[in-house]
Amino acid sequence: MQLKIGWIGALALLGALAACGGAAEPDGTDTTTESSTEDAQGLATLRRMVSVTVSGGGTVAVSPGGSVCSTASPCTLRYRTYTKVTLTANPASGATFTGWSGACSGASVTCVVDNRQARYITATFTASASTAPATPTTPATPTTPATPTTPATPTTPTTPTTPTTPTAPTTPTTPATVTLSVGSATGGSVTSSPSGIGCGNGGTVCSASFSSGTSVTLTAQPASGYTFSGWSGGGCGTAATCTIALGISGISVTPSFVQTIVAKSIQVAWNPSTDSAVVGYRVYHGTASGVYGEVLSASSSSLVYSTSASGSHYFAVSALNSAGNESPHSAEVVVAVP
């Protein structure tokens, strides 16, 4: 089977996908004839399954890959053979981690296994026992209060002195000019009317002095790929223009520009299996080589994957037969999304 991947209608890459067959033994050993299948199909790397089941209130974090398993969402993961896989038990509120069974044992919250063969692991959590309330103590018998003594005769207060008349505060003088400052304008630019400020998108004048009492209008202009979302400071709102009446103190305002995210589509295609028992495919996706945090199902030999994340995206494909058996992965391919 040939694996092809790339932008829709553009990029195609080659890989190999083995036919389905075999089943896992109860002890976790993968009995599929992987060596002969790899030689025949040209597979680059053999991977083994790590299955994590959770009983009770809690989760299990799996590394590498960052998967989180729970009672409602058990995990079936695949790694290259001999990968060290770390499992960390995290009890929910009101629960206690009891221990591991299967390929892990003991009650330590962390277990490390390698996948020389398929591994089946169960983490068990139990509800914490509530503590009984303390028995209240008998209150002490109150003592008879002592007879109060007769208060002393108050002395005649002295005649208060007449307070001095406060002096009137000095009226502050109005400054001749006031400074208006514009904060970082990443993703756009800001100009002023009257002129004086030209900040962002190549402009470097982000503050200017104006006469006190002047009304200054600021205008925000987003750069390509950005939108304006509002101002902070100066009493400005979400409109692209803001008029500020300058008083006697300096004012600082900051615009906010948000980058527009555009979703991108990747078409993954492969040559269909020639095995007549094949009924579907699984497409494995990840952002690191050999670590697949997402598994997609496909009934035909192609799939369109949409993402807004830039960087490298890794894909591998396996085939499924009517008995539910899965072939080893195809050779891995990678697409760089700008």
Side-chain angles (χ1 to χ4, degrees):
M1 181 179 300
Q2 186 181 61
L3 177 65
K4 299 173 290 182
I5 187 165
W7 303 111
I8 296 179
L11 182 61
L13 298 175
L14 301 181
L17 183 66
C20 296
E25 295 292 340
D27 64 354
T29 302
D30 191 340
T31 60
T32 305
T33 57
E34 292 159 332
S35 295
S36 61
T37 302
E38 288 181 271
D39 293 340
Q41 300 295 334
L43 297 179
T45 305
L46 178 64
R47 290 173 172 77
R48 298 290 191 180
M49 180 174 68
V50 176
S51 175
V52 181
T53 303
V54 178
S55 174
T59 60
V60 174
V62 184
S63 177
S67 296
V68 178
C69 316
S70 64
T71 301
S73 300
C75 297
T76 300
L77 309 170
R78 288 184 178 274
Y79 299 92
R80 287 181 175 145
T81 305
Y82 296 108
T83 296
K84 295 293 186 180
V85 181
T86 300
L87 297 89
T88 303
N90 299 296
S93 176
T96 301
F97 177 63
T98 304
W100 306 95
S101 59
C104 288
S105 62
S108 173
V109 296
T110 301
C111 172
V112 179
V113 298
D114 67 71
N115 62 336
R116 289 174 295 173
Q117 62 183 21
R119 300 295 188 185
Y120 297 85
I121 302 159
T122 298
T124 301
F125 301 84
T126 57
S128 301
S130 59
T131 57
T135 303
T137 57
T138 303
T141 302
T143 58
T144 303
T147 302
T149 58
T150 302
T153 302
T155 59
T156 302
T158 59
T159 302
T161 59
T162 303
T164 58
T165 302
T167 58
T170 304
T171 303
T173 58
T174 302
T177 60
V178 178
T179 299
L180 176 61
S181 301
V182 175
S184 174
T186 302
S189 62
V190 176
T191 56
S192 68
S193 177
S195 63
I197 292 178
C199 183
N201 200 22
T204 59
V205 181
C206 296
S207 66
S209 295
F210 300 91
S211 298
S212 177
T214 302
S215 292
V216 180
T217 300
L218 298 177
T219 302
Q221 179 63 47
S224 177
Y226 288 81
T227 57
F228 176 72
S229 61
W231 305 87
S232 62
C236 297
T238 57
T241 59
C242 175
T243 300
I244 301 172
L246 298 178
I248 62 175
S249 300
I251 295 177
S252 178
V253 296
T254 301
S256 178
F257 299 97
V258 179
Q259 187 173 15
T260 304
I261 302 300
V262 179
K264 305 173 183 68
S265 296
I266 302 171
Q267 183 174 19
V268 184
W270 56 93
N271 288 338
S273 172
T274 58
D275 190 335
S276 60
V278 170
V279 296
Y281 303 90
R282 285 180 179 165
V283 179
Y284 292 83
H285 167 259
T287 55
S289 178
V291 181
Y292 305 119
E294 186 175 13
V295 181
L296 308 169
S297 297
S299 58
S300 63
S301 58
S302 66
L303 178 144
V304 175
Y305 184 82
S306 295
T307 180
S308 60
S310 300
S312 297
H313 293 260
Y314 297 82
F315 296 89
V317 179
S318 65
L320 295 172
N321 66 12
S322 57
N325 297 320
E326 181 177 1
S327 75
H329 293 168
S330 70
E332 183 179 75
V333 291
V334 60
V335 165
V337 176

